[in-house]
């Protein structure tokens, strides 16, 4: 593992990591988070429950920007975006053997996904509008807890998906692995367009998303995102401590 910005990121690359995920699917319950710049900033600011992130069994770097910052400190982060992991999993031989539930996208998006990956053993789990602690949240946790799946694609907004995966552990889910993969299904079904390869190679995926959805992404990338630089200096260069927990009611 590589410790960076107080998180222990996995060192595994794509194929080895995918194999590790499929092994987790056959064992005791585990969950996987995919930190990007936005996630780390909110974690450092105490706006996300630290125990939720620390409790994850795997932390996969979802940001080339984080990878570049890590290199400035002589560290290597294996960057494996959640969308790539999801696509690789659904196209793999393991997808024919594992029961994969999709939680978050609507039925139309699920049907499109199933059509694109006809060999995968996919099932749909309805995700209502969720607020942690509300009755609908508790019902959803109970329904997903009891459902039959080896892999759960948890595709609700950050940090709700991470909290949901953690809640399944607290509720006693005995087996399977929950993958917190955000908008992955939207990308795979064409509802959102991923950045062209050139943008990806230049680590400018954030710019593509900003230009594609300026009103939605302006605050994330222009107002809040640059704070990663000051947090990098404080945590990695100066060795300061991050906040221990989120503010009450955050997320």
């Amino acid at each position: 593992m590589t410790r960076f910005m107080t998180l222990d990121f996995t060192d595994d690359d794509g194929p080895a990591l995918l194999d590790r995920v499929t092994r987790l699917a056959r064992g005791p319950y585990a969950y996987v988070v995919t930190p990007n710049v936005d996630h780390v900033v909110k974690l450092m600011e105490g706006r996300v429950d630290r125990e939720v992130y620390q409790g994850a069994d795997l932390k996969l770097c979802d940001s080339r920007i984080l990878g570049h910052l890590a290199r400035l400190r002589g560290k290597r982060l294996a960057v494996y975006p959640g969308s790539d992991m999801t696509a690789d999993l659904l196209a793999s031989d393991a997808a024919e053997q594992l029961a994969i539930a999709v939680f978050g996208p609507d039925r139309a998006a699920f049907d499109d996904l199933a059509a694109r990956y006809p060999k995968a053993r996919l099932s749909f789990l309805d995700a209502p509008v969720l607020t942690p602690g509300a009755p609908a949240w508790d019902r959803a946790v109970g329904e997903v807890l009891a459902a039959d799946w080896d892999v759960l694609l948890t595709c609700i907004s950050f940090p709700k998906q991470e909290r949901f995966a953690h809640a399944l552990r607290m509720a006693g889910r005995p087996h399977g692995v929950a993958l917190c993969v955000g908008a992955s299904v939207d990308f795979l079904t064409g509802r959102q367009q991923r950045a062209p390869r050139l943008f990806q190679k230049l680590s400018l995926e954030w710019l593509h998303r900003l230009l594609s959805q300026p009103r939605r992404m302006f605050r994330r990338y222009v107002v809040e995102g640059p704070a990663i630089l000051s947090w990098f200096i404080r945590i990695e260069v100066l060795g300061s401590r991050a906040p221990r927990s989120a503010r009450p009611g955050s997320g």
Side-chain angles (χ1 to χ4, degrees):
M1 283 190 261
T2 299
R3 189 162 185 81
F4 181 67
M5 299 297 288
T6 77
L7 295 174
D8 292 322
F9 288 88
T10 180
D11 290 331
D12 293 330
D13 287 312
L17 185 52
L18 189 61
D19 179 68
R20 191 170 176 184
V21 168
T22 57
R23 282 188 277 115
L24 285 176
R26 297 182 173 94
Y29 177 73
Y31 67 96
V32 177
V33 296
T34 55
N36 59 28
V37 167
D38 181 55
H39 298 182
V40 172
V41 167
K42 287 182 170 61
L43 183 65
M44 295 301 103
E45 292 177 349
R47 296 163 63 185
V48 178
D49 298 318
R50 181 160 289 276
E51 66 176 7
V52 168
Y53 250 58
Q54 297 292 7
D57 298 84
L58 286 178
K59 302 172 186 69
L60 317 183
C61 181
D62 190 71
S63 167
R64 291 176 175 83
I65 299 299
L66 292 180
H68 292 314
L69 290 175
R71 279 196 288 275
L72 293 177
R73 297 297 295 158
K75 300 178 181 181
R76 176 186 175 275
L77 292 186
V79 179
Y80 194 28
S83 296
D84 291 343
M85 178 179 63
T86 303
D88 291 345
L89 173 65
L90 294 178
S92 71
D93 293 338
E96 300 180 38
Q97 308 299 324
L98 298 171
I100 302 174
V102 182
F103 179 74
D106 59 25
R107 172 63 77 168
F110 171 80
D111 289 343
D112 286 348
L113 186 72
R116 289 171 183 265
Y117 299 95
K119 293 183 179 181
R121 292 178 55 201
L122 298 174
S123 62
F124 174 77
L125 294 177
D126 186 43
V129 176
L130 296 173
T131 300
W137 174 275
D138 294 336
R139 284 195 299 271
V141 170
E143 291 170 0
V144 175
L145 181 73
D148 180 21
W149 49 267
D150 302 309
V151 178
L152 178 70
L153 299 182
T154 313
C155 305
I156 52 181
S157 62
F158 169 84
K160 290 181 182 179
Q161 60 186 7
E162 290 79 8
R163 288 187 172 187
F164 194 87
H166 182 70
L168 290 173
R169 170 168 286 161
M170 295 298 99
R173 174 73 188 187
H175 58 81
V177 61
L179 308 180
C180 299
V181 290
S184 293
V185 170
D186 284 347
F187 288 129
L188 296 179
T189 58
R191 282 164 172 73
Q192 293 190 48
Q193 295 298 320
R194 286 195 71 179
R197 288 292 181 184
L198 179 60
F199 278 70
Q200 295 180 39
K201 290 181 179 179
L202 295 176
S203 302
L204 292 175
E205 289 172 282
W206 65 270
L207 179 59
H208 179 268
R209 294 196 73 185
L210 176 62
L211 295 175
S212 300
Q213 303 176 7
R215 296 183 65 179
R216 181 184 174 194
M217 296 298 174
F218 181 84
R219 182 171 183 81
R220 176 188 297 186
Y221 292 129
V222 178
V223 179
E224 297 182 342
I228 192 63
L229 299 176
S230 61
W231 280 111
F232 170 74
I233 293 172
R234 291 171 64 178
I235 301 298
E236 288 292 322
V237 179
L238 301 179
S240 300
R241 292 184 179 180
R244 292 185 178 181
S245 61
R247 295 193 298 268
S250 64

